[in-house]
Amino acid sequence: MTEPPGRLGRRLSERLERIGRGLEDLVLIVLLSAMILLATTQIVLRNAFDFGFIWADEVLKLMVLWVALFGAVAASRADKHISIDVVSRFLSPGLRVASELVVNGFTAAVCALLAWHSGRFVYSAWEFGDRLVGGLPAWWFQIVMPVAFGLMAWRYLLFTGATALRLANRWRYREP
Amino acid sequence: MILVGLILLVLALLGAPLFAVIAASALWGYYRADIDLSAVAIEFFSVGTMPFLLAIPLFTFAGFVLSESGAPRRLVRITRALLGWMPGGLAIVSLAACAFFTAFTGASGVTIIALGAILYPALTQAGYPERFNLGLVTSAGSLGLLFAPSLPLILYGVVAQQPIDELFRAGVLPGLLMLIMLSGWSLWVNRRERQPLSEFSWREVAGALRESAWEIPLPVVVLGGIYSGLIGVSEAAAVTALYVVFVEVLVLREIPLRELPRIMRESMLLVGGILVILGVSLASTNIMIDAGVPQKLLAVVEQFVSGPLTFLLLLLVFLLILGAILDIFSALVLVVPLILPVAAQYDIHPVHLGIVFLAAMQLGYLTPPVGLNLFIASYRFEVPIVRVYLATLPFLLILLISVIIITYMPALSLWLLPGT
């Protein structure tokens, strides 16, 4: 077995993990509630007072992007992304762990690439001073992409580490 | 090039998240075409600018709330009161209730869990053979796919840039055809048991209606509003989400307030899973269209196909295979942009194409080895998966016949459209 990390370190990392999850959930809940309230307010204003916020439609669309990405972060955490998964059932336990290792490593790498390149996209939007929603800096809204893909990359990196450990343990116990 | 494709295919089959596989293929495509890779991010960002997408998180959330409340039980009671007098009543009740609930919850598999748990034991109690019940509940779990406001219909409208209200209208008759054919089959199978479930009773109808008094305005406003074109899809979705929370949490109090964050999180997890695939698919289809994939596809198709009839046959076979491997949402966002221009060459109406696409994909929920409904039913009713396969087979065949009819009778889809 590998040396377990210090108790303090583990407690700290567990606490950080819990705070992180809480924050992810909070973002989702606030976004969804705000979407429902803003969209319905808009309907009431339009029909009753013949009035509406001109920015509301654009903001609502951008909120869909945010909800989508934070929902994807939550799906990564639970490893519940849509996948095909037909072959793994027929693999031996050892091969299954090995294939999980490859799959998790691959997903982490792709997410990291997406985070990096969307970061570059946001950076250039910042540099050129792109504007959205009646003059607000575009990067305020776009920053969610590198952040979310970064969190997903981090999550799959943790999965990769965990599967690598499992594989190493299998290997060790198999040795006479 | 082929090697990269093969590696990605193997990764997908090993269970890599589809969004990662599609993103990898997009990144690879841009890299080969010498385009800056941040173009993938630019494409992905358009998830935040597309119209109608707002309806997807809102309807999904509302559907999750409804399925955790007492609404499924009340829905079964109403349908029973209204249709239970027919011979073979409960089978028809089950099909109708499932179709309605699926449409409202957007075909995410919650129907089998929410309604199956009520209908499966009820059917067994009423003396229907176990195997029939299992098949019925499993196949009914995706039956309402063609009725408004199902999510796949909305997503097709977004991806194919077709008016969503027209798609909703187009789905009505094909959806009814499926419902009627399955009902007919259920009556035929149980022809020896012609016992109606119960006498028709105005008192029971009134009681059932009173019990659901809070929920009845919902389908009336949403379906009435959407089908008449009075309110937009996103508006209907917003009203539904707010109203459902108001009724189930505050008025009926069937869902405690502290459960709401969990339901929000779970529903948005599904939405995130779907929309992140949409985002990366926008990038990958863009590069494929740049590379002329639709034209190449057309060139290949032309070798086998002489006219619209053979094209539809080829399309149907392709979609059935696709539906057996891919889930409906991924298949939609990946494939529709590529086959749309090809279908246009054969004068297939884009709305009709959408209905055919979704109807064929609906079979994908039931086809081994990866049909979603099969797994959910096996898991939910604790039955071995092979038994679910066999029980569902006759229903699958009936639905296949209905899909063939829908494919070759465009009028069925287009009849209710304005101006045709």
Side-chain angles (χ1 to χ4, degrees):
Chain A
M1 289 291 283
T2 43
E3 190 66 24
R7 229 207 203 147
L8 188 73
R10 180 176 298 180
R11 270 227 306 269
L12 191 70
S13 73
E14 271 171 12
R15 181 167 299 175
L16 276 178
E17 174 77 20
R18 207 161 342 117
I19 294 174
R21 283 173 181 222
L23 275 177
E24 284 169 20
D25 287 352
L26 190 68
V27 172
L28 271 181
I29 291 159
V30 169
L31 275 171
L32 181 60
S33 313
M35 273 161 81
I36 297 173
L37 291 178
L38 182 58
T40 41
T41 312
Q42 187 78 349
I43 299 171
V44 173
L45 287 180
R46 180 157 350 125
N47 290 304
F49 305 102
D50 209 9
F51 161 82
F53 304 115
I54 30 170
W55 46 266
D57 280 348
E58 202 180 346
V59 167
L60 279 169
K61 284 178 191 167
L62 288 164
M63 283 165 109
V64 173
L65 176 78
W66 280 65
V67 152
L69 280 165
F70 272 93
V73 170
S76 307
R77 189 208 298 159
D79 201 12
K80 274 195 177 163
H81 272 290
I82 297 175
S83 59
I84 298 181
D85 196 19
V86 262
V87 181
S88 67
R89 252 167 296 167
F90 304 107
L91 296 179
S92 70
L95 268 179
R96 199 182 304 160
V97 181
S99 88
E100 271 174 39
L101 180 68
V102 175
V103 160
N104 286 332
F106 163 77
T107 311
V110 172
C111 289
L113 269 175
L114 288 174
W116 171 251
H117 288 291
S118 48
R120 286 179 49 240
F121 163 60
V122 177
Y123 179 75
S124 71
W126 173 76
E127 223 177 16
F128 288 107
D130 289 354
R131 306 266 148 187
L132 278 173
V133 195
L136 296 175
W139 68 269
W140 289 9
F141 303 97
Q142 297 163 340
I143 192 78
V144 66
M145 290 197 292
V147 170
F149 284 122
L151 286 172
M152 285 153 81
W154 168 243
R155 185 62 58 192
Y156 277 96
L157 198 65
L158 291 182
F159 288 154
T160 312
T163 29
L165 268 179
R166 256 164 64 212
L167 199 64
N169 280 339
R170 286 190 69 86
W171 191 254
R172 183 157 307 176
Y173 289 126
R174 194 184 280 177
E175 299 286 293
Chain B
M1 178 69 191
I2 294 170
L3 187 68
V4 172
L6 269 179
I7 291 173
L8 288 179
L9 186 67
V10 170
L11 281 166
L13 290 178
L14 285 177
L18 277 177
F19 88 88
V21 175
I22 299 166
S25 85
L27 287 165
W28 172 249
Y30 282 95
Y31 174 75
R32 270 178 48 98
D34 241 351
I35 300 171
D36 190 322
L37 291 188
S38 63
V40 175
I42 298 173
E43 289 294 328
F44 193 99
F45 187 67
S46 45
V47 170
T49 55
M50 290 175 124
F52 306 116
L53 278 188
L54 177 62
I56 291 180
L58 297 181
F59 272 132
T60 309
F61 169 63
F64 269 64
V65 173
L66 279 178
S67 65
E68 295 215 5
S69 71
R73 193 183 45 79
R74 287 190 286 274
L75 175 64
V76 171
R77 186 174 168 201
I78 288 201
T79 329
R80 211 170 167 157
L82 292 174
L83 299 177
W85 53 271
M86 294 163 87
L90 191 58
I92 295 172
V93 167
S94 308
L95 289 167
C98 282
F100 184 82
F101 200 73
T102 304
F104 241 80
T105 53
S108 47
V110 290
T111 307
I112 300 182
I113 296 170
L115 279 177
I118 304 167
L119 293 173
Y120 187 58
L123 283 161
T124 312
Q125 210 176 28
Y128 288 89
E130 203 251 32
R131 200 171 140 171
F132 169 81
N133 303 340
L134 189 60
L136 180 94
V137 174
T138 310
S139 40
S142 50
L143 194 56
L145 208 64
L146 294 176
F147 297 130
S150 93
L151 299 189
L153 269 177
I154 299 176
L155 200 58
Y156 180 85
V158 170
V159 173
Q161 294 175 346
Q162 292 300 313
I164 294 187
D165 56 317
E166 287 192 10
L167 282 164
F168 283 162
R169 282 159 194 241
V172 173
L173 294 179
L176 281 178
L177 177 76
M178 286 182 156
L179 193 57
I180 291 168
M181 284 181 66
L182 281 186
S183 301
W185 163 253
S186 303
L187 288 183
W188 170 252
V189 171
N190 299 296
R191 60 194 177 281
R192 295 220 181 83
E193 268 186 71
R194 298 193 69 90
Q195 291 268 13
L197 188 63
S198 56
E199 297 274 302
F200 185 82
S201 128
W202 282 109
R203 181 179 294 182
E204 172 58 17
V205 171
L209 287 179
R210 203 174 314 123
E211 196 190 31
S212 314
W214 280 101
E215 280 132 352
I216 288 171
L218 200 58
V220 174
V221 170
V222 170
L223 297 184
I226 291 179
Y227 279 123
S228 67
L230 278 178
I231 50 173
V233 187
S234 306
E235 293 177 329
V239 172
T240 307
L242 190 68
Y243 186 77
V244 158
V245 170
F246 172 71
V247 168
E248 311 298 346
V249 179
L250 297 178
V251 178
L252 300 176
R253 300 201 184 177
E254 287 173 337
I255 295 174
L257 192 60
R258 66 186 136 73
E259 288 290 302
L260 213 51
R262 180 187 55 81
I263 300 177
M264 284 185 163
R265 200 182 80 81
E266 276 174 16
S267 56
M268 288 311 104
L269 193 147
L270 177 74
V271 169
I274 296 169
L275 291 186
V276 84
I277 289 182
L278 171 68
V280 292
S281 297
L282 290 171
S284 86
T285 40
N286 205 33
I287 191 73
M288 281 198 252
I289 288 169
D290 267 8
V293 172
Q295 288 86 332
K296 287 175 194 159
L297 203 61
L298 183 63
V300 174
V301 167
E302 270 173 341
Q303 292 177 352
F304 301 98
V305 167
S306 48
L309 294 184
T310 34
F311 171 74
L312 283 173
L313 181 68
L314 190 69
L315 179 74
L316 206 52
V317 173
F318 169 71
L319 290 179
L320 291 176
I321 297 171
L322 188 72
I325 319 171
L326 275 186
D327 71 283
I328 189 163
F329 298 108
S330 315
L332 254 173
V333 295
L334 263 182
V335 175
V336 165
L338 300 181
I339 58 171
L340 209 56
V342 181
Q345 288 294 314
Y346 292 98
D347 282 333
I348 312 289
H349 195 291
V351 170
H352 179 224
L353 179 73
I355 300 301
V356 171
F357 194 98
L358 296 187
M361 283 293 139
Q362 185 185 325
L363 293 188
Y365 279 87
L366 306 174
T367 38
V370 287
L372 182 65
N373 284 7
L374 301 170
F375 286 117
I376 298 177
S378 154
Y379 171 77
R380 187 68 187 72
F381 305 123
E382 293 171 357
V383 181
I385 187 92
V386 180
R387 244 188 44 228
V388 185
Y389 286 167
L390 293 175
T392 317
L393 204 58
F395 294 89
L396 185 66
L397 289 177
I398 301 285
L399 283 174
L400 180 63
I401 297 171
S402 72
V403 171
I404 293 173
I405 298 175
I406 291 167
T407 308
Y408 282 101
M409 285 184 60
L412 214 52
S413 317
L414 303 177
W415 195 49
L416 290 179
L417 292 198
T420 45

